[in-house]
Amino acid sequence: MKAYSLDLRQKIIDTYLEGGISQRQLAERFKVALSFVQKILKQYRETGSIAPKIRIQQTPPKLNEEQLNVLKKIVEANNDATLAEIRILLEQKTGVLIGRSTVDRMLNRMEFTVKKKHCTRMKRKLKEFSH
């Protein structure tokens, strides 16, 4: 989601500093969340800045290099497996349980695709993997 513009942020601060309006009323007037108004006011009080914060540190990946290699081998050996099946196999081999969407992101980073035909037999296979 994009950050709110500096213009909007400045209007919120100016209106609040004029006085006579609550944070809740500010949020309603400018059609923003109350939590945003609280956050921008706190940031202004603490730093004097209303600019959006820049994300410096990225969230570290869920899997390390060794686990990614295991994931790659699983996909190569089970190229017809679904994301849910891959997830279970990865847990069995590494002890690390991640979500299906995380499996998908990791495979996309490694430029693997796992397009599947929709079939009810896959549900039975999933039960086999989970035991």
Side-chain angles (χ1 to χ4, degrees), residues 60-121:
K62 301 283 186 201
L63 301 177
N64 62 32
E65 201 62 40
E66 181 183 325
Q67 293 163 337
L68 284 172
N69 289 332
V70 171
L71 178 62
K72 183 177 180 180
K73 289 175 185 173
I74 288 171
V75 173
E76 288 171 347
N78 303 287
N79 63 355
D80 64 339
T82 64
L83 291 173
E85 292 167 346
I86 293 169
R87 172 181 177 256
I88 291 168
L89 288 170
L90 182 67
E91 181 190 16
Q92 290 171 352
K93 293 191 180 197
T94 64
V96 176
L97 180 63
I98 57 176
R100 285 183 321 193
S101 58
T102 305
V103 172
D104 186 47
R105 278 193 305 277
M106 296 296 162
L107 293 177
N108 285 335
R109 276 193 196 140
M110 296 185 321
E111 298 181 356
F112 274 94
T113 58
V114 286
K115 276 281 198 189
K116 303 291 170 256
K117 293 180 183 175
H118 295 286
C119 177
T120 57
R121 279 189 264 151

Side-chain angles (χ1 to χ4, degrees), residues 2-130:
K2 279 185 147 182
Y4 288 115
S5 70
L6 284 175
D7 183 46
L8 176 64
R9 291 165 178 260
Q10 190 62 55
K11 286 179 184 178
I12 292 171
I13 295 295
D14 291 343
T15 306
Y16 183 76
L17 293 176
E18 287 174 10
I21 189 167
S22 70
Q23 292 180 7
R24 193 173 305 277
Q25 290 168 330
L26 269 174
E28 288 174 14
R29 178 184 287 182
F30 291 102
K31 305 285 190 248
V32 296
L34 174 60
S35 60
F36 172 71
V37 171
Q38 293 167 338
K39 180 188 85 109
I40 195 71
L41 290 172
K42 179 180 179 190
Q43 181 180 339
Y44 180 73
R45 280 190 298 270
E46 291 176 355
T47 66
S49 170
I50 58 169
K53 292 181 182 176
I54 297 171
R55 187 171 170 177
I56 298 170
Q57 184 178 4
Q58 293 293 327
T59 306
K62 301 283 186 201
L63 301 177
N64 62 32
E65 201 62 40
E66 181 183 325
Q67 293 163 337
L68 284 172
N69 289 332
V70 171
L71 178 62
K72 183 177 180 180
K73 289 175 185 173
I74 288 171
V75 173
E76 288 171 347
N78 303 287
N79 63 355
D80 64 339
T82 64
L83 291 173
E85 292 167 346
I86 293 169
R87 172 181 177 256
I88 291 168
L89 288 170
L90 182 67
E91 181 190 16
Q92 290 171 352
K93 293 191 180 197
T94 64
V96 176
L97 180 63
I98 57 176
R100 285 183 321 193
S101 58
T102 305
V103 172
D104 186 47
R105 278 193 305 277
M106 296 296 162
L107 293 177
N108 285 335
R109 276 193 196 140
M110 296 185 321
E111 298 181 356
F112 274 94
T113 58
V114 286
K115 276 281 198 189
K116 303 291 170 256
K117 293 180 183 175
H118 295 286
C119 177
T120 57
R121 279 189 264 151
M122 289 298 176
K123 288 182 184 174
R124 275 188 250 130
K125 264 191 172 179
L126 181 59
K127 288 180 184 173
E128 292 172 17
F129 281 115
S130 63

